[in-house]
Amino acid sequence: MKLLFIGDIVGNAGRSILKEQLPDIKRQFSIDVCIANGENAAGGRGITYLIAQEIYDCGVDIITLGNHTWARKEIKNFITSDSKIIRPANYPKGVPGKGCTILSMNGTSIGVINLLGRVYMDSIECPFRTAEKEINAIKKQCSIIIVDIHAEATSEKAALAYFLDGKVSAVLGTHTHVQTADEQILKNGTAFISDVGMTGPAEGILGVDKEIVLEKFLTSLPVKFELAEGKGILNAVVLNIDNNTGKCNEITRIQKKINHY
Ligand SMILES: [Fe+2]
Ligand SMILES: [Fe+2]
């Protein structure tokens, strides 16, 4: 099974790049399944119903989210009924939506789990124990399990990967928007990367207009974030997973610089 995971899609730029690049990437790497993080898809914060449909139409099978899940109020109206979109599983009980979903592809069941880190982020339920619980609930059904750990601290993401080594096919970091060069297959067959990186404007600061971010650092005054313009970037990883054992044989980073979109 060849699985493509695309890092945080940021705004209109991210969606345009996705539309333009995904068919080629899927062909080039013979991709069977595509997962994308969509927490910044609507103007940099959150996701709407129409934007989720637009992302599916591009060829994405499952959307994961993160700390910006609730930025657009309308998410509450569709997140529970849409089986293809998940939010972090470690939000408190009773929160709309789900943190895990199962996708069937050519007779193989793929479980996808979304988690949020707690270091330098809002304090929610433990991502480690939540991961264990979610994995136990689906492991009989799914030979392949993919975890999106949306977190700030590299140490937390690496610790989760070590904790889950051999229990899932991949632990993929998102949220920091910069692709890291530490992709690896751990001892028991789990693929890991600290951060897949983002898909969107390349010339800003993590996708946001540089001047606005600088003003915030220089003055500490509240500012309204606007997305950067100019060149773009697509960041993703391709996983080659054994359908029977669920072990990952290969993780390949993709980073494409885009001049026009
Ligand atoms: Fe993000
Ligand atoms: Fe985030």
Side-chain angles (χ1 to χ4, degrees):
M1 172 81 59
K2 296 286 283 297
L3 189 146
L4 176 72
F5 186 100
I6 299 166
D8 305 29
I9 298 164
V10 179
N12 194 30
R15 286 164 11 234
S16 299
I17 293 166
L18 187 74
K19 206 172 291 169
E20 187 188 283
Q21 299 291 326
L22 194 51
D24 278 354
I25 294 175
K26 280 186 147 183
R27 251 192 314 272
Q28 193 187 340
F29 292 92
S30 308
I31 296 299
D32 301 298
V33 177
C34 178
I35 305 169
N37 185 296
E39 72 141 7
N40 308 111
R45 285 169 59 85
I47 190 164
T48 64
Y49 175 79
L50 286 178
I51 287 176
Q53 310 315 306
E54 191 186 323
I55 293 173
Y56 297 140
D57 288 345
C58 290
V60 170
D61 300 297
I62 301 287
I63 299 174
T64 58
L65 296 167
N67 55 309
H68 292 304
T69 296
W70 315 110
R72 306 281 163 158
K73 285 199 179 76
E74 66 169 90
I75 183 91
K76 292 179 189 152
N77 302 334
F78 67 90
I79 194 168
T80 305
S81 57
D82 182 348
S83 63
K84 300 192 292 183
I85 188 163
I86 55 173
R87 45 82 177 155
N90 49 333
Y91 275 122
K93 218 174 157 193
V95 162
K98 63 249 156 258
C100 174
T101 193
I102 298 171
L103 167 80
S104 289
M105 187 63 74
N106 309 328
T108 303
S109 292
I110 304 151
V112 186
I113 300 170
N114 194 188
L115 293 163
L116 203 54
R118 291 191 296 185
V119 179
Y120 310 126
M121 299 185 91
D122 288 345
S123 118
I124 53 169
E125 309 289 345
C126 173
F128 295 82
R129 272 130 192 159
T130 305
E132 254 183 342
K133 209 165 70 188
E134 295 288 345
I135 292 163
N136 285 338
I138 62 166
K139 69 179 179 193
K140 279 208 182 88
Q141 233 179 306
C142 302
S143 57
I144 295 174
I145 300 176
I146 307 296
V147 174
D148 171 357
I149 170 69
H150 195 82
E152 191 76 45
T154 307
S155 59
E156 192 178 21
K157 299 190 219 190
L160 186 76
Y162 180 66
F163 183 65
L164 299 182
D165 183 21
K167 296 190 178 86
V168 300
S169 308
V171 174
L172 307 173
T174 56
H175 174 70
T176 61
H177 287 204
V178 177
Q179 189 178 77
T180 56
D182 60 343
E183 80 280 13
Q184 60 198 285
I185 308 287
L186 302 178
K187 207 172 87 190
N188 297 311
T190 297
F192 171 59
I193 184 166
S194 295
D195 210 288
V196 175
M198 67 159 200
T199 294
E203 296 188 288
I205 294 172
L206 312 185
V208 177
D209 183 278
K210 285 195 279 247
E211 291 303 320
I212 297 172
V213 176
L214 186 59
E215 188 190 334
K216 184 167 174 60
F217 278 112
L218 289 175
T219 65
S220 289
L221 290 170
V223 294
K224 190 174 179 293
F225 279 174
E226 275 168 40
L227 297 181
E229 291 179 353
K231 292 178 184 169
I233 195 163
L234 180 143
N235 281 306
V237 289
V238 174
L239 306 173
N240 190 350
I241 303 167
D242 184 311
N243 287 5
N244 297 316
T245 64
K247 290 186 191 303
C248 189
N249 299 316
E250 197 181 15
I251 174 168
T252 310
R253 273 188 294 127
I254 299 178
Q255 181 169 89
K256 260 184 122 167
K257 306 239 165 83
I258 289 125
N259 288 329
H260 303 285
Y261 52 82

